[in-house]
Amino acid sequence: MMSREAILDALLSATAANENMMWMLAAIRMAKRPVQKEQLKDVTNALYKQINPAAEEMPIRSRHLLDEAAAMLEGASLVNVAEVAKSKRYTLSPLGIELLNHRQHRLMQEQNKRKEAGGQ
């Protein structure tokens, strides 16, 4: 049986393989409201540009990339999807929130290890 940590690490690896998924999760979290699929590209690219101001190429460059990453997030149960009229609205699922928190924890652990290695 897999531990909670192992499951989150596996999900983290899978989302790292398609970086757009992590950017989309972070953008949905930052929006603090349901995000329509049509807006998901814009909020994701805006967040990316805010963090990488010199970037010339955005992560979500086409409808195909948007659809692909959104489908993977849905399939992994990292987002909740509500269909309103003909549009889908995305919110983070509890698992998606947990994954983002786990990623943040991992990043902090790596930074601490680097500090310790550099400080000795």
Side-chain angles (χ1 to χ4, degrees), residues 21-114:
M21 292 171 63
M22 197 54 74
W23 282 109
M24 287 170 70
L25 282 176
I28 293 168
R29 174 187 258 180
M30 303 264 309
K32 295 183 179 165
R33 61 174 173 72
V35 179
Q36 288 183 1
K37 189 171 190 179
E38 295 73 32
Q39 298 170 324
L40 196 49
K41 176 181 176 182
D42 296 335
V43 296
T44 301
N45 287 342
L47 173 63
Y48 185 83
K49 190 69 172 170
Q50 181 182 342
I51 293 172
N52 301 294
E56 294 193 18
E57 195 168 271
M58 296 294 107
I60 310 292
R61 298 176 302 282
S62 67
R63 180 64 190 221
H64 172 74
L65 290 173
L66 173 66
D67 290 345
E68 181 181 67
M72 287 190 281
L73 290 173
E74 284 181 56
S77 297
L78 297 173
V79 292
N80 295 322
V81 183
E83 297 213 20
V84 179
K86 289 187 176 184
S87 75
K88 289 183 172 185
R89 294 181 187 219
Y90 293 85
T91 54
L92 287 177
S93 70
L95 182 58
I97 293 167
E98 189 73 24
L99 182 65
L100 286 172
N101 292 340
H102 181 71
R103 179 177 181 268
Q104 189 64 37
H105 178 73
R106 284 279 189 232
L107 291 172
M108 288 170 53
Q109 282 181 325
E110 287 174 24
Q111 286 174 349
N112 289 339
K113 284 181 187 173
R114 279 191 220 116

